[in-house]
Amino acid sequence: MQLSESFQWIEALPLVRLIVIIPGLYPAISALHILGIALLVGCIATVDLRLLGVFTTKLDDALPSLIRMALTGFTVAATTGMLLVSVRIGNYAFNPAFLTKMALLLIAGTNALVLRLRAGSADVRHGLGTFRGRLAAALSLALWTSAVFSGRWIAFI
């Protein structure tokens, strides 16, 4: 199956057609996507700023909960993002801003995974006060912010 045939197949799926046909559904999914991004980036930025020492130790007990909320935000953003892309996947697949966003998301996710693995624990608090924790946090802030900017540029390219 050719790539363009695969894209046409995805765009013809019944769920994807419903997104196109039902008035208001695409904007509703888009709004959920933005809410997922807000939850993800808001929580991750808070954790990153704590790892960088910007926030005090009073936040430490909340860090595991913030990570869980960020993962929930990621799940919402990823699910809704796949639905949004499926409507015009043939266009998105060649959009430089979209491809950049996908690469940034992959790198940001890898950064988060490496931080957890290097800390030897699923608890991000083990990265507090360490060079690796601060480096991962600074990289995380830059990557997630860049992914948001790239996502906004998709419509303009």
Side-chain angles (χ1 to χ4, degrees):
M1 184 183 284
Q2 297 271 351
L3 193 58
S4 62
E5 290 172 352
S6 298
F7 294 154
Q8 289 171 357
W9 179 80
I10 292 169
E11 290 175 2
L13 290 170
L15 176 60
V16 176
R17 298 311 318 144
L18 284 175
I19 295 169
V20 173
I21 293 169
I22 297 174
L25 187 54
Y26 187 91
I29 294 170
S30 182
L32 287 173
H33 185 65
I34 292 168
L35 289 173
I37 292 167
L39 184 60
L40 164 65
V41 176
C43 290
I44 286 299
T46 304
V47 171
D48 290 340
L49 290 171
R50 174 59 190 115
L51 286 170
L52 288 168
V54 173
F55 294 139
T56 66
T57 58
K58 292 179 182 179
L59 188 61
D60 290 358
D61 288 340
L63 293 178
S65 294
L66 286 168
I67 295 290
R68 284 191 298 278
M69 288 191 300
L71 289 170
T72 299
F74 177 80
T75 301
V76 171
T79 302
T80 55
M82 285 188 282
L83 291 171
L84 294 171
V85 166
S86 66
V87 171
R88 295 183 6 192
I89 193 166
N91 293 358
Y92 283 105
F94 302 104
N95 183 307
F98 175 76
L99 297 174
T100 300
K101 178 182 176 180
M102 293 300 104
L104 288 166
L105 292 176
L106 178 64
I107 297 167
T110 302
N111 179 56
L113 183 61
V114 167
L115 174 64
R116 285 183 154 217
L117 293 175
R118 295 243 173 163
S121 168
D123 192 343
V124 72
R125 291 177 288 192
H126 288 99
L128 289 168
T130 68
F131 173 76
R132 285 185 179 157
R134 288 189 299 275
L135 179 63
L139 187 57
S140 174
L141 282 172
L143 288 167
W144 290 113
T145 301
S146 297
V148 169
F149 274 85
S150 294
R152 292 306 310 140
W153 277 104
I154 292 169
F156 301 102
I157 292 182

